[in-house]
Amino acid sequence: MNMVLLGPPGAGKGTQAKVLSRDLGIPHISTGDMLRESVKNRTELGQKAQHHMAAGDLVPDELVIAIVKERLEKSDVEKGFILDGFPRTLRQAEMLDASLAGIEKGLDLVLYFKTSLDTSIARLSGRRVCEKCGANFHVKNIPTKQEGVCDYCSGKLYQRKDDSKETIKTRWSVYERDTEPLIRYYFRKGTLKEVSGDLDVDGLNRILMDIFREESLI
Ligand code: AP5
């Protein structure tokens, strides 16, 4: 199953993608995670991407398109993939269509996680991420057993630099300007399904599994 998770910052895309990847046995491809890894490793891409990310702006299309193209050539996407945070512009969406057509694939589903700016701010300002395994927590909604320590690997938790209230607002405006038009793009193609990003993690997961069954994708 080839799917895209679309939605504003903090809608819960990454959280669901991790659960779905585990349950469906297909890779979770997050451009945000790939870019953060490049920044951490101080690669050329990381150095070019860093200031855009810190400001809450998008990294230029050509840089992101190149890493996704390379990723989709790996053999583990044979059974399917979950794209999280890509595409984010019409140009990226068109490139994705062209790339998939080139390898005789297509998108089965685009899941649009709808939520509000208030929910986004509440979630992102409380988000904590494990520096070792990348697991996501939330100080109130999804607390760890021990404060500041990952439940899965005992790694140290940190707060993303772009999760400050001001940068969340910038990311939200960028989303409305550049990414929201993709809702119409995929609606017209007949691949879009809207779900409420406001549901709790398990409730939303049940709804997604129902959609997969209805669409005969599992
Ligand atoms: P990226 O990492 O993709 O950030 P984002 O899209 O802003 O998404 P988030 O990770 O903030 O939100 P999410 O929806 O995944 O929520 P999550 O599940 O983590 O991108 C970062 C930056 O990289 C961009 O700003 C840009 O600069 C660059 N970039 C990336 N892709 C790009 C592209 N294609 N083109 C150009 N630039 C690109 O959940 C958030 C919090 O809420 C967590 O604490 C979680 O525990 C909690 N939570 C999740 N679900 C629930 C729930 N159902 N109920 C209660 N709490 C929940």
Side-chain angles (χ1 to χ4, degrees):
M1 185 187 338
N2 304 334
M3 68 175 117
V4 163
L5 305 189
L6 180 70
K13 307 178 297 292
T15 302
Q16 284 298 328
K18 286 188 177 74
V19 178
L20 294 175
S21 170
R22 184 197 63 205
D23 294 350
L24 302 172
I26 54 176
H28 166 206
I29 303 175
S30 157
T31 42
D33 287 348
M34 288 157 91
L35 290 166
R36 275 184 292 279
E37 191 64 20
S38 300
V39 171
K40 195 170 134 193
N41 295 331
R42 298 171 197 266
T43 65
E44 199 185 329
L45 167 68
Q47 284 171 20
K48 287 180 183 160
Q50 195 166 20
H51 67 280
H52 298 286
M53 296 174 78
D57 211 340
L58 292 185
V59 172
D61 280 341
E62 49 279 10
L63 296 178
V64 187
I65 286 172
I67 56 169
V68 172
K69 262 189 175 165
E70 199 184 317
R71 183 64 185 85
L72 289 176
E73 279 163 15
K74 298 216 166 134
S75 58
D76 65 342
V77 301
E78 211 41 59
K79 280 192 346 198
F81 55 80
I82 304 165
L83 272 172
D84 161 18
F86 184 94
R88 255 175 154 100
T89 63
L90 278 171
R91 197 165 151 231
Q92 292 179 16
E94 285 161 3
M95 163 269 153
L96 179 63
D97 285 345
S99 272
L100 291 175
I103 49 173
E104 293 177 9
K105 286 185 194 289
L107 286 178
D108 298 305
L109 209 52
V110 176
L111 294 165
Y112 163 44
F113 287 32
K114 190 174 181 183
T115 194
S116 65
L117 176 60
D118 285 349
T119 303
S120 171
I121 291 175
R123 283 187 182 170
L124 296 180
S125 52
R127 168 162 59 188
R128 298 293 181 269
V129 185
C130 174
E131 63 177 19
K132 212 162 144 197
C133 74
N136 254 326
F137 300 93
H138 186 279
V139 288
K140 280 196 197 133
N141 303 339
I142 311 170
T144 47
K145 290 183 195 111
Q146 196 188 332
E147 202 186 318
V149 180
C150 177
D151 283 354
Y152 307 113
C153 73
S154 303
K156 205 172 141 198
L157 303 187
Y158 73 97
Q159 184 167 22
R160 266 171 52 175
K161 279 194 186 130
D162 59 348
D163 279 348
S164 70
K165 201 171 170 184
E166 277 321 299
T167 313
I168 296 167
K169 283 186 183 161
T170 306
R171 286 160 64 197
W172 190 275
S173 310
V174 169
Y175 166 79
E176 286 179 326
R177 185 190 66 203
D178 294 334
T179 311
E180 231 172 37
L182 297 185
I183 296 170
R184 193 160 174 74
Y185 178 84
Y186 286 119
F187 176 76
R188 282 187 173 156
K189 286 182 176 284
T191 42
L192 190 86
K193 288 268 176 202
E194 179 180 315
V195 293
S196 169
D198 294 344
L199 296 170
D200 65 35
V201 178
D202 291 342
L204 178 52
N205 183 257
R206 278 194 293 276
I207 287 187
L208 298 183
M209 295 308 273
D210 285 346
I211 292 176
F212 302 151
R213 276 187 282 272
E214 276 163 26
E215 298 288 318
S216 306
L217 292 168
I218 52 171

